[in-house]
Amino acid sequence: PEQNIIASVCVFACLHCCIYVCVQAQLCMFMHSLMCILVVCVVSEPTLKWKLKKHISTRQSPLQRKTSAPATIKHRTKETLASGVARPILGGLNPYRGSGDKNVCKFNPFCPTHILLLILLSWFFTPCSLPQTHWEPQRQALHRPGIQLDFLGVPGAHRPLSRARSSPASTSLPPPPLPTTGSLPLPSPAAETPVKLRFTTGLVHDAQMQKHQCTCGDNSRHPEHAGRIQSIWSRLQERGLKTQCERIRSRKATLEELQSVHSEKHVLFYGTNTLNRLKLDNQKLTAILSQQMFVMLPCGGLGVDTDTIWNEMHTSTASRMAAGCVTDLALKVAQGELKNGFAVVRPPGHHATRSSPLGFCFFNSVAIAAKQLQQKLNVSKILIVDWDVHHGNGTQEAFYKDPSVLYISLHRYDNGNFFPGSGDPTEVGAGAGEGFNVNVAWTGGLNPPMGDAEYLAAFRAVVMPIAHEFAPDIVLVSAGFDAVEGHSALLGGYKVTAKCFGFLTRQLMSLAGGRVVLALEGGHDLTAICDASEACVSALLGMGVEPLSQSVLDQKPCVNAVRSLQEVIKAHGEKRTPHTSALHSHSAG
Ligand code: Q9C
Ligand code: ZN
C-alpha cells in the first residue's frame, strides 16, 4: 500500500508539473487546487490514515523515544549488513522493514517514504509564485482608469491565450515574457527569485556610479561629479519619496546592449577596464589598446577631453551601470511592472555618439534603453523628450532615420554657438525618419534667459501637440536639469524653476498611458538638481504638484522664444509630415 501511495503521488506530481508547464498561468491555479485536493484524498485514504492512527497509538513518549532512537539505527545497520543486497533499495533503507516491526509507523527523518511524502506535500501546498508575479502588475494595470485593455497585448481574464499573438493590438507592447516553449522552465531554487513590485514609480541608483571621478580629486574642476547623484538620492530619501517608490535592482548594460547604439570599438574601448579586458579576445584587444588616446588634463588627471574624465578603474563600470539601470527601468515600465520611473544615474549619456564620448558622456543610456525596448519588447513607437539645456546630439544621431523613435529636444542653441553646436531646427530627420526629429532650439542668448513661460509655451505649442499626434507607447526623458535657475551662463544660464519641471513631467504623463521614464542627464547645481528631481518624482507619484503662480502662467514667452518656436514650426510645417500637422492647428496661439 505504501508504494501505491508513492506511485500515485508521483503520477499526480508529474501530471501537475506537465500541466503547469504547458498551460502556464492560465489554468495553473485551477489545476493546482484540483491536484491538491486529489493528493490529499489519495494520501489520506485509506492507508495513511490507518497508518497514522497506528502511529499515534503506538508512539512512545518523547523521553523513551530519545533513548531508543540510537538503538534503531544500530539495529538497522546490523540488519542491512546481514541481509545483503537482495533487498529493494527503498526497503533496504526503510527502518520499519528492517526492524521487523511492520505495522508500527514511527516517524523517522531518515525514512525515504516520509521524506518523499513531506517534500511532495509541501510542494503541492506552495502557492504558484510564478504566475502571480507575472500577472499581478497586469491586473493592477488593467484596473487603472483610462488604460486600454488591448494596449497590453495580453489576453484579458477570460480570453484564450492565442489572442496575444493574433489580435492587432493598438500598441506594440507585448505581454510579460513567458518561458520559451521547448526548454522546460524547471523550478530551480538557484534562479533569481522574481521580486514582486508595487505598481508605482520605480527608482534606480547604484553607488558604483559615484566612483567615476577624476584622479585629481578636485570637484570644482569637474562639475559632473559624484555628489550630484549622491545628493539627489539623499533628497529623495529625506522627503520620504523613496519609500513611496519601488527601488529596482541596478545592473550594468551588457557589451551587446551597448552595441545596439555604439560601435564595437567604442564599446570595447570604454566598456572595459584593465581587469575585464583580460577575458576578451586578444586580437581585438591589441587593436583597441593600440588606439588608446587619452589626454592629460590641466588638473593632472586623465580624460578624453577637458569635460570628459577617464578613470581606468571605475569609468567603464559607472557608465555601463548608468545605461543598464535606465534600460531595465524602461523595460519594467514598458512591461507594466512599474507605473513610471526615475533613474538617478551618472555619467550622463545624450552627447555620446556611435563612436565617440563627449560632454561627460560615454554611453547613450536613453538611446540604448530605446533600442532595447525595440529589440526585446518590439515597442513600436517611442518618444524621447530631451530637456537638458544642451542638445542631445548623440540621441538625435542614433534615431535620425528612424520613424519609430520621435526625438524632441529643447536646448540652448544660439545659432550653433552653444555646446555642442548641433540641434538646428532644420534638422528634422532623414529618409523614413524625416519629420521625427524636432529641435526646439532657443536662440537669442540670455536676453532674457529662458524660463518657465518659454518652456510652458514650447510644450503647449510644439511638444505636446506633436507628441499626442505621434501617440507613443512609452516616453523616455533625457532629464538634464541644467536649464534650472542656479546654473552659470557657461553651463546654461537659464531660469526655469524646479517646479516647472514637475509640471512638464505631469504633462508627459498624459501620453503613452502614463508610461514615462526620466533619466538624469546634466545639471550640476546641487540645489537645482535636487529640487527638480524632487518635483519630477512627486509628479510621477501623482502627488498634487503645487500650482505655478498665475503670473507665470499668464506670462507671455519672450520675443526670442517666440521666434525660436516659429523656426521649429516652419521647419516642420514645410515638410507637412502627418504627425506634425498638429503644429498648424496649435501654432496660431
Ligand atoms: N569646452 C551635459 O549636460 N561644456 N553635458 C563645454 C566648452 C560642455 C554638458 C565647455 C558641457 C557638457 C550632459
Ligand atoms: Zn547638459
Side-chain angles (χ1 to χ4, degrees):
E2 224 171 74
Q3 275 154 343
N4 286 345
I5 294 168
I6 293 162
S8 312
V9 170
C10 286
V11 166
F12 279 113
C14 293
L15 253 173
H16 177 86
C17 198
C18 290
I19 290 160
Y20 184 99
V21 166
C22 298
V23 190
Q24 265 306 317
Q26 292 289 299
L27 281 172
C28 178
M29 285 312 286
F30 172 67
M31 288 314 294
H32 190 93
S33 321
L34 198 71
M35 287 301 159
C36 288
I37 293 162
L38 280 170
V39 166
V40 170
C41 293
V42 170
V43 167
S44 57
E45 285 292 334
T47 15
L48 195 76
K49 208 190 230 168
W50 169 77
K51 274 195 136 258
L52 280 173
K53 234 186 235 166
K54 268 272 188 214
H55 173 73
I56 292 158
S57 60
T58 56
R59 191 177 50 174
Q60 291 167 325
S61 80
L63 193 70
Q64 283 172 303
R65 273 186 64 197
K66 206 172 180 180
T67 49
S68 66
T72 316
I73 290 163
K74 219 183 210 171
H75 179 69
R76 182 186 60 185
T77 315
K78 210 169 116 192
E79 168 77 20
T80 312
L81 282 171
S83 60
V85 289
R87 203 176 290 281
I89 293 167
L90 201 71
L93 294 170
N94 191 327
Y96 323 136
R97 303 205 174 225
S99 70
D101 201 3
K102 290 195 169 68
N103 286 333
V104 182
C105 175
K106 289 180 193 148
F107 179 79
N108 188 314
F110 297 106
C111 162
T113 313
H114 280 144
I115 291 168
L116 192 64
L117 280 172
L118 268 176
I119 291 171
L120 286 171
L121 280 170
S122 63
W123 180 56
F124 273 108
F125 286 105
T126 311
C128 291
S129 60
L130 180 78
Q132 263 182 15
T133 39
H134 275 176
W135 290 77
E136 199 51 41
Q138 294 284 321
R139 247 177 257 129
Q140 287 171 346
L142 290 172
H143 290 148
R144 269 163 46 80
I147 275 218
Q148 294 164 296
L149 290 179
D150 269 347
F151 118 80
L152 290 160
V154 293
H158 306 294
R159 281 188 225 155
L161 192 65
S162 57
R163 229 186 92 76
R165 288 241 166 263
S166 61
S167 84
S170 64
T171 87
S172 56
L173 289 180
L178 298 173
T180 44
T181 46
S183 63
L184 293 182
L186 297 172
S188 66
E192 58 180 277
T193 45
V195 191
K196 216 177 147 198
L197 303 171
R198 285 175 292 155
F199 188 71
T200 181
T201 301
L203 290 181
V204 67
H205 171 74
D206 193 298
Q208 283 196 74
M209 292 181 286
Q210 280 154 216
K211 294 183 175 173
H212 161 65
Q213 275 178 313
C214 186
T215 45
C216 79
D218 180 3
N219 275 353
S220 69
R221 288 170 176 269
H222 306 287
E224 200 291 285
H225 60 81
R228 298 171 64 240
I229 53 170
Q230 203 174 19
S231 54
I232 291 173
W233 196 241
S234 312
R235 172 65 76 87
L236 298 178
Q237 169 84 50
E238 283 162 27
R239 298 295 146 102
L241 294 170
K242 219 186 278 175
T243 54
Q244 296 181 58
C245 297
E246 191 73 18
R247 182 174 178 183
I248 69 156
R249 185 189 282 279
S250 64
R251 72 162 175 95
K252 290 199 292 179
T254 65
L255 298 180
E256 198 186 4
E257 287 170 327
L258 298 173
Q259 278 198 59
S260 62
V261 168
H262 302 280
S263 69
E264 185 186 35
K265 209 167 91 180
H266 182 88
V267 167
L268 289 174
F269 201 34
Y270 301 104
T272 63
N273 60 29
T274 320
L275 291 174
N276 54 27
R277 257 172 220 147
L278 294 171
K279 288 179 249 164
L280 293 165
D281 179 272
N282 254 336
Q283 273 192 328
K284 269 175 195 164
L285 193 66
T286 330
I288 50 167
L289 288 178
S290 66
Q291 290 176 47
Q292 263 205 50
M293 271 192 299
F294 289 123
V295 294
M296 186 70 104
L297 302 178
C299 63
L302 214 58
V304 295
D305 60 53
T306 45
D307 287 329
T308 319
I309 64 102
W310 177 261
N311 181 316
E312 178 57 28
M313 287 292 287
H314 301 297
T315 299
S316 60
T317 304
S319 43
R320 279 175 66 176
M321 186 66 80
C325 288
V326 175
T327 298
D328 257 13
L329 190 60
L331 289 171
K332 285 190 160 53
V333 170
Q335 286 168 297
E337 290 177 54
L338 293 166
K339 181 179 149 209
N340 50 37
F342 190 94
V344 187
V345 293
R346 75 179 278 272
H350 72 154
H351 295 309
T353 67
R354 176 169 166 76
S355 52
S356 181
L358 180 73
F360 311 138
C361 309
F362 294 89
F363 297 120
N364 196 323
S365 305
V366 167
I368 291 162
K371 290 275 191 188
Q372 295 312 305
L373 288 171
Q374 294 179 322
Q375 291 171 12
K376 296 201 172 106
L377 302 180
N378 276 314
V379 178
S380 60
K381 283 187 288 175
I382 302 168
L383 167 64
I384 300 178
V385 174
D386 187 335
W387 65 42
D388 185 283
V389 82
H390 304 97
H391 180 240
N393 58 292
T395 316
Q396 168 170 306
E397 179 200 83
F399 303 106
Y400 207 61
K401 293 179 178 171
D402 187 345
S404 67
V405 177
L406 169 61
Y407 178 67
I408 307 181
S409 176
L410 300 95
H411 51 272
R412 182 170 168 191
Y413 182 56
D414 293 351
N415 287 313
N417 291 306
F418 194 72
F419 184 89
S422 57
D424 193 273
T426 58
E427 295 163 12
V428 294
E434 194 175 285
F436 294 88
N437 195 90
V438 180
N439 283 319
V440 177
W442 304 122
T443 287
L446 301 176
N447 325 297
M450 304 302 167
D452 290 3
E454 288 73 30
Y455 275 71
L456 290 171
F459 262 60
R460 189 170 57 230
V462 176
V463 180
M464 294 313 292
I466 295 178
H468 273 298
E469 190 157 335
F470 181 67
D473 300 316
I474 189 166
V475 182
L476 306 181
V477 184
S478 266
F481 294 123
D482 35 17
V484 178
E485 50 189 354
H487 287 85
S488 66
L490 273 176
L491 266 142
Y494 284 0
K495 297 267 179 293
V496 185
T497 64
K499 214 158 76 168
C500 184
F501 280 103
F503 273 85
L504 302 184
T505 301
R506 213 173 57 173
Q507 289 187 43
L508 294 178
M509 288 164 70
S510 69
L511 301 158
R515 289 180 291 278
V516 177
V517 178
L518 271 60
L520 183 70
E521 295 277 2
H524 77 276
D525 182 84
L526 296 185
T527 308
I529 63 176
C530 286
D531 288 351
S533 300
E534 183 188 334
C536 291
V537 173
S538 301
L540 289 172
L541 281 167
M543 294 164 67
V545 213
E546 56 171 309
L548 290 173
S549 71
Q550 197 57 45
S551 61
V552 168
L553 293 171
D554 293 341
Q555 198 186 329
K556 285 205 173 102
C558 72
V559 176
N560 287 332
V562 173
R563 236 174 249 151
S564 303
L565 292 175
Q566 282 168 343
E567 287 295 316
V568 198
I569 292 163
K570 198 174 85 192
H572 284 270
E574 277 166 3
K575 303 292 175 186
R576 294 209 176 260
T577 45
H579 53 279
T580 48
S581 67
L583 285 177
H584 303 285
S585 48
H586 289 79
S587 58

